[in-house]
Amino acid sequence: MGGQANGENAIPTINISAILSPGSSEGERRAVIEDVRHASVTYGFFNLVGHGIPKSQLERAFESAKLFFALPEEKRMEVHIGKALGRSFRGWEPPLIQQHQEDLLPDTKETFIVGREVPADDPEAGSFLTGPNLWPDLAVEEFRDVVLAYQSRMVALAQTIVRILVQGLPAEWGCPPDALDGLTVDPAIPMRFLHYGPVEQKDPRQFGVAPHTDFSAITILLQQAGTEGLEVWHPPTEDWIPVPVVEDGFVINIGDLMQKYTAGYYRSARHRVITSAQENRHRYSVAFFLDGNLQFKTKALDGSGPETAVGEYVRSRLMATLGTRGPTL
Ligand SMILES: O=C(O)CCC(=O)C(=O)O
Ligand SMILES: [Fe+2]
């Protein structure tokens, strides 16, 4: 069972199959919880395998993403984020929209954003991160079905990971394993299909995604095999550690909400995606953010600090990165 690092300061790979299989012993389950705890305290990042999601489903997600990003610009414009209902924030976000720091240039990535499918006639539709998805002009079975099937896998995996994380908290906090289950009820789940094209000239002030922490509770990231570029900041050694693609693995990272809810016990680590100037060097990834139920709020699980409400918190953080280039949320 996992936890083994590939070398000094390498992001660990953890196999969670003991958590998912009914036949495993309590000792095997505790070993997974301990590995996840250690990785989340130390790096805020780990690679997860043993999730039970077939490889073919991961490959199909990339095939669908490539179909979308290969559409001509006027077709991508048909689902531009500006067309999303109210403040639901769905659809195509072109390159050069998100800016994480004033002294840096906006990110080169382009993304297609999908959320929980909420019908347009729902009373909540059009409120922050809530509403119907925008679907591009692609065959339903090649795009929409694939995306929603992948999304439902991610929701289930996110629930599993939240439970594992809660069980790894210090015993003296006395948290029941379901302490954060409220987060995962009708959660806001923005999922970004990401495409990083080659840049013409590398500029030190520009990144695929500039250094940032995620606002989410947790993020489940699928990286395309054979690509590189994701790096995580490791304060003890003060350097950027690459996060290599692990076969059939997801990168799990702790976001700011989880860091808040665990009084800083789990670390929301800064990370970035560097650009490549090499022609034909494209990178695809899929980032699923478990923000959580937008009404959910709690103090940290050790009883400290003020309450943080998911919706208010994520909205303020997101707005700060969109500036005047993105929609008003
Ligand atoms: O594409 C990646 O590898 C990471 C993307 C990311 O960090 C983000 O969208 O927050
Ligand atoms: Fe991120």
Side-chain angles (χ1 to χ4, degrees), residues 45 100 194 196 209-216 219 221 230 253 269-273 287 289:
F45 262 74
H100 297 275
L194 292 139
Y196 304 84
V209 181
H212 68 285
T213 54
D214 290 349
F215 327 139
S216 55
T219 305
L221 176 78
L230 175 61
N253 67 286
R270 277 164 81 71
H271 54 286
R272 65 183 189 183
V273 179
F289 301 96

Side-chain angles (χ1 to χ4, degrees), residues 14-81:
I14 302 171
N15 186 324
I16 65 157
S17 59
I19 297 288
L20 298 173
S21 74
S24 53
S25 69
E26 186 54 23
E28 288 166 330
R29 299 163 66 82
R30 282 311 314 179
V32 175
I33 291 165
E34 171 53 23
D35 287 345
V36 169
R37 186 202 66 78
H38 184 259
S40 303
V41 166
T42 312
Y43 300 101
F45 262 74
F46 57 95
N47 277 300
L48 179 150
V49 296
H51 45 73
I53 303 171
K55 188 177 182 173
S56 56
Q57 191 163 9
L58 310 185
E59 286 166 349
R60 272 203 299 279
F62 282 124
E63 281 161 23
S64 295
K66 286 180 188 169
L67 287 178
F68 174 75
F69 291 118
L71 287 172
E73 179 162 343
E74 72 264 22
K75 283 285 176 193
R76 279 173 287 159
M77 275 309 282
E78 287 175 7
V79 291
H80 184 271
I81 41 169

Side-chain angles (χ1 to χ4, degrees), residues 35-300:
D35 287 345
V36 169
R37 186 202 66 78
H38 184 259
S40 303
V41 166
T42 312
Y43 300 101
F45 262 74
F46 57 95
N47 277 300
L48 179 150
V49 296
H51 45 73
I53 303 171
K55 188 177 182 173
S56 56
Q57 191 163 9
L58 310 185
E59 286 166 349
R60 272 203 299 279
F62 282 124
E63 281 161 23
S64 295
K66 286 180 188 169
L67 287 178
F68 174 75
F69 291 118
L71 287 172
E73 179 162 343
E74 72 264 22
K75 283 285 176 193
R76 279 173 287 159
M77 275 309 282
E78 287 175 7
V79 291
H80 184 271
I81 41 169
K83 303 203 165 143
L85 180 68
R87 301 184 293 137
S88 57
F89 199 49
R90 306 297 165 91
W92 182 49
E93 185 190 78
L96 309 181
I97 297 287
Q98 251 191 325
Q99 184 173 2
H100 297 275
Q101 267 171 245
E102 257 178 33
D103 53 344
L104 297 177
L105 298 174
D107 296 345
T108 65
K109 64 166 193 244
E110 61 172 326
T111 109
F112 181 74
I113 303 165
V114 181
R116 194 160 58 84
E117 188 72 65
V118 175
D121 59 3
D122 185 288
E124 292 295 319
S127 61
F128 180 58
L129 296 187
T130 308
N133 287 306
L134 298 182
W135 296 109
D137 188 12
L138 289 166
V140 167
E141 63 279 11
E142 283 184 355
F143 195 78
R144 185 197 299 216
D145 290 353
V146 175
V147 167
L148 291 180
Y150 182 84
Q151 181 191 60
S152 72
R153 290 283 195 170
M154 290 302 99
V155 172
L157 182 56
Q159 285 168 335
T160 301
I161 296 166
V162 167
R163 281 251 172 159
I164 295 174
L165 286 167
V166 169
Q167 291 175 87
L169 292 172
E172 60 272 24
W173 294 6
C175 295
D178 63 358
L180 287 181
D181 279 13
L183 258 186
T184 62
V185 178
D186 291 341
I189 42 173
M191 175 160 75
R192 286 174 172 262
F193 287 83
L194 292 139
H195 170 227
Y196 304 84
V199 295
E200 269 168 30
Q201 222 176 349
K202 273 177 90 76
D203 182 317
R205 293 167 305 154
Q206 191 158 48
F207 295 84
V209 181
H212 68 285
T213 54
D214 290 349
F215 327 139
S216 55
I218 56 167
T219 305
I220 307 178
L221 176 78
L222 180 64
Q223 307 194 79
Q224 185 195 12
T227 62
E228 51 187 41
L230 175 61
E231 300 181 335
V232 56
W233 180 247
H234 188 235
T237 50
E238 300 216 324
D239 56 8
W240 289 100
I241 309 178
V243 185
V245 184
V246 167
E247 166 104 14
D248 281 346
F250 291 102
V251 177
I252 310 301
N253 67 286
I254 303 296
D256 297 335
L257 274 169
M258 184 62 73
Q259 179 172 283
K260 277 187 179 292
Y261 290 151
T262 61
Y265 187 71
Y266 292 140
R267 207 160 78 73
S268 176
R270 277 164 81 71
H271 54 286
R272 65 183 189 183
V273 179
I274 54 180
T275 56
S276 170
Q278 258 172 282
E279 230 178 297
N280 298 327
R281 192 72 178 248
H282 290 258
R283 176 176 192 272
Y284 296 86
S285 63
V286 188
F288 172 93
F289 301 96
L290 174 74
D291 286 350
N293 182 298
L294 293 166
Q295 270 72 51
F296 183 86
K297 58 178 176 188
T298 180
K299 293 173 157 223

